[in-house]
Amino acid sequence: MIAIITTRVQCLDNGLARLPPMGFNTWNQFNCFINETIVKKTVDSMVELGLRDLGYKYVVIDDCWQKDQRDPVTKRLVPDPIRFPNGMLALSRYCQSKGMSLGIYSDGGNMTCKRYPGSMGYYELDAQTFAEWEIDFLKFDFCYTTVWEEIHASIYYTRMSKALNMTGRPILFSACIWGHQQPWLWAPKIANTWRTTEDITPFYGRVMENLDNNKVLAEYAGPGAWNDPDMLEVGVSKPDQPGLTVQESRSHFALWSIMAAPLILGNDLTEVSKIPSWVLDIIRNKDVISVNQDPLAVQGVMVAETVIGVNRSSSLCYSVRIPEACTRTEIYVKPLKNQGFAAVLFNRGGLNQDDFHFKPEKMTLDWSKHLKVDPTKVYMVKDLWGQKELGKYQGTFTPDTLIQPHDCFMISLTPL
Ligand code: GAL
């Protein structure tokens, strides 16, 4: 019992990420096609669109910012002079002048995943370099390590955590260990966030896999230490990948918010006029963001699921294709500081975007079953996507409309 209590409070004590971090990262949309202009334009747009003021504070440069060799004399990492001609300190200062913070990426192994120089053998020097560049966020990957190193990943992440602390600059430490070696068991003490999953992609099935891996880990999250099911794919689209639908994006954002996951945007923000309004409606929804940032600082949990006929060999659902025979719904709940709750009623449906086996569902939130509170309690219910108060409810709440497959209904319940 004592051990359980102490793991919860023994967090990396850098004072950062008391609530899940919010920001933007270059990887999901731009991969290696990054440069200073993209970063600056992103910062400008985030200010113009009000994203900064909603809490999206960090702009993180992912892999491929480095020159392919360290400086032969100083052994420091060097930004690619073509992509980042003014260097990282200038870029940090640019972010700061706009009220934002710059983040950067490195790797605990010999090379980054895209084969640029890794930090192995240079943890202290790299931490020092990042601090001198006034970096505020480090995403630390783990490609190009040996099997032994991979098994002992905690040693390497601890070493980098200490190196960051030694610089005296509070740098948010984001451990990108893909859920390997059960990071939730050791990373809360040394990192602010740790990846619980493999890489997300803008495909519904992949988002669902990340959800499943992350949703069972709520007990490990808390102020300063968060499970990270990877960055957001809302609005990410590429010629060969159409991306998530509006409904899927809404569910993705709602679920990440209720799981108190870091909200790190991945979509192209460089041209404000080219961002679809439905994307802005999702990522700028204040109420949904407040659920993620609620000061009680807990990760919400799945409290109910109904799975009928989803097994592909189930003839009624998949072969005979009777939609009535297929159901896959999930209910998530997060307690809030005001003694209320947030809830997501999620009609998960099948895996493919065009999966016609599943039907719109009627879903009900039940106070005693799902919130574990007295059913006579009265709450003011607000529809967070519809942005309207629906009235006072007692005992149960059922939305008026059916919930479409891959879509969700998200509400807050405020005690009266
Ligand atoms: C992966 C990581 C991605 C991205 C990529 C860069 O390991 O999970 O989020 O950072 O490396 O190469």
Side-chain angles (χ1 to χ4, degrees):
M1 190 59 193
I2 288 165
I4 293 168
I5 293 165
T6 51
T7 40
R8 167 96 186 161
V9 292
Q10 260 184 24
C11 299
L12 169 62
D13 198 13
N14 61 5
L16 299 173
R18 308 316 291 167
L19 296 172
M22 295 174 65
F24 165 87
N25 174 298
T26 52
W27 183 253
N28 284 1
Q29 183 70 52
F30 297 103
N31 293 84
C32 278
F33 302 99
I34 51 170
N35 58 47
E36 191 173 284
T37 311
I38 290 177
V39 176
K40 283 180 155 177
K41 280 176 124 187
T42 301
V43 170
D44 295 348
S45 302
M46 290 177 80
V47 175
E48 187 183 333
L49 290 165
L51 292 167
R52 175 197 64 190
D53 295 340
L54 284 165
Y56 296 99
K57 167 177 167 185
Y58 296 102
V59 173
V60 182
I61 305 174
D62 209 285
D63 205 352
C64 308
W65 61 267
Q66 314 85 335
K67 215 174 148 177
D68 54 10
Q69 297 290 330
R70 286 179 177 269
D71 181 289
V73 180
T74 64
K75 298 291 177 205
R76 291 197 185 225
L77 290 168
V78 183
D80 181 307
I82 295 171
R83 292 179 172 160
F84 295 93
N86 294 296
M88 290 302 169
L89 180 58
L91 207 46
S92 279
R93 293 264 166 94
Y94 185 82
C95 291
Q96 291 161 18
S97 75
K98 305 275 173 166
M100 300 197 55
S101 288
L102 189 66
I104 211 161
Y105 162 102
S106 193
D107 184 290
N110 285 318
M111 285 191 285
T112 71
C113 300
K114 289 291 170 188
R115 307 179 69 89
Y116 289 93
S119 290
M120 186 60 90
Y122 299 98
Y123 284 22
E124 287 73 21
L125 181 64
D126 289 354
Q128 188 53 38
T129 303
F130 299 147
E132 285 172 21
W133 290 346
E134 299 180 6
I135 295 288
D136 291 317
F137 182 123
L138 175 66
K139 172 172 172 179
F140 206 52
D141 216 335
F142 215 57
C143 279
Y144 294 99
T145 50
T146 63
V147 176
W148 193 93
E149 288 159 353
E150 162 96 28
I151 293 166
H152 299 91
S154 67
I155 295 177
Y156 294 88
Y157 278 93
T158 304
R159 195 174 287 171
M160 192 53 168
S161 177
K162 285 194 180 139
L164 290 174
N165 277 346
M166 289 285 290
T167 68
R169 185 178 180 86
I171 298 178
L172 194 153
F173 190 36
S174 164
C176 183
I177 183 66
W178 320 293
H180 298 186
Q181 318 308 332
Q182 301 180 290
W184 43 91
L185 297 180
W186 48 266
K189 286 185 230 143
I190 52 122
N192 298 109
T193 68
W194 52 92
R195 278 271 297 277
T196 55
T197 70
E198 300 293 340
D199 286 13
I200 199 163
T201 58
F203 289 105
Y204 186 64
R206 184 73 240 179
V207 175
M208 290 302 99
E209 252 177 76
N210 285 20
L211 167 71
D212 288 339
N213 288 327
N214 198 70
K215 72 187 182 191
V216 293
L217 300 170
E219 67 184 285
Y220 303 104
W226 304 101
N227 289 305
D228 175 7
D230 208 357
M231 305 171 291
L232 295 164
E233 293 285 6
V234 178
V236 174
S237 69
K238 298 175 190 166
D240 56 330
Q241 295 175 342
L244 304 175
T245 65
V246 177
Q247 291 76 12
E248 291 166 353
S249 303
R250 191 154 58 200
S251 297
H252 175 28
F253 198 79
L255 292 160
W256 262 233
S257 290
I258 207 158
M259 290 194 297
L263 295 182
I264 308 292
L265 303 169
N267 57 312
D268 184 352
L269 295 166
T270 52
E271 303 291 339
V272 167
S273 61
K274 291 194 185 143
I275 308 171
S277 59
W278 66 265
V279 170
L280 292 175
D281 288 346
I282 293 175
I283 65 178
R284 291 199 295 195
N285 186 306
K286 272 198 186 126
D287 289 324
V288 178
I289 293 172
S290 317
V291 170
N292 178 265
Q293 297 287 302
D294 185 80
L296 194 60
V298 293
Q299 177 173 332
V301 282
M302 188 175 82
V303 290
E305 69 177 328
T306 308
V307 184
I308 304 170
V310 169
N311 184 337
R312 286 201 168 259
S313 62
S314 158
S315 57
L316 281 185
C317 177
Y318 274 98
S319 313
V320 187
R321 294 179 180 170
I322 304 170
E324 281 59 42
C326 314
T327 291
R328 187 161 196 185
T329 59
E330 298 177 348
I331 296 179
Y332 291 78
V333 164
K334 182 182 199 280
L336 304 177
K337 177 85 178 193
N338 67 1
Q339 314 263 317
F341 294 92
V344 174
L345 308 179
F346 179 37
N347 182 1
R348 177 164 169 158
L351 271 193
N352 307 317
Q353 228 151 277
D354 57 351
D355 199 330
F356 50 85
H357 304 278
F358 290 83
K359 59 183 184 309
E361 296 278 356
K362 180 175 168 176
M363 293 183 70
T364 295
L365 183 76
D366 182 304
W367 284 203
S368 19
K369 260 200 248 159
H370 303 135
L371 305 180
K372 308 221 195 297
V373 299
D374 185 338
T376 62
K377 255 184 116 77
V378 178
Y379 292 99
M380 173 58 76
V381 173
K382 183 170 184 187
D383 168 1
L384 302 191
W385 290 124
Q387 291 278 288
K388 75 170 188 276
E389 288 202 332
L390 300 175
K392 298 172 188 168
Y393 284 80
Q394 191 178 29
T396 62
F397 168 77
T398 308
D400 275 348
T401 47
L402 297 180
I403 302 166
Q404 298 297 320
H406 297 191
D407 204 355
C408 67
F409 201 91
M410 185 167 190
I411 54 175
S412 62
L413 299 101
T414 308
L416 290 168

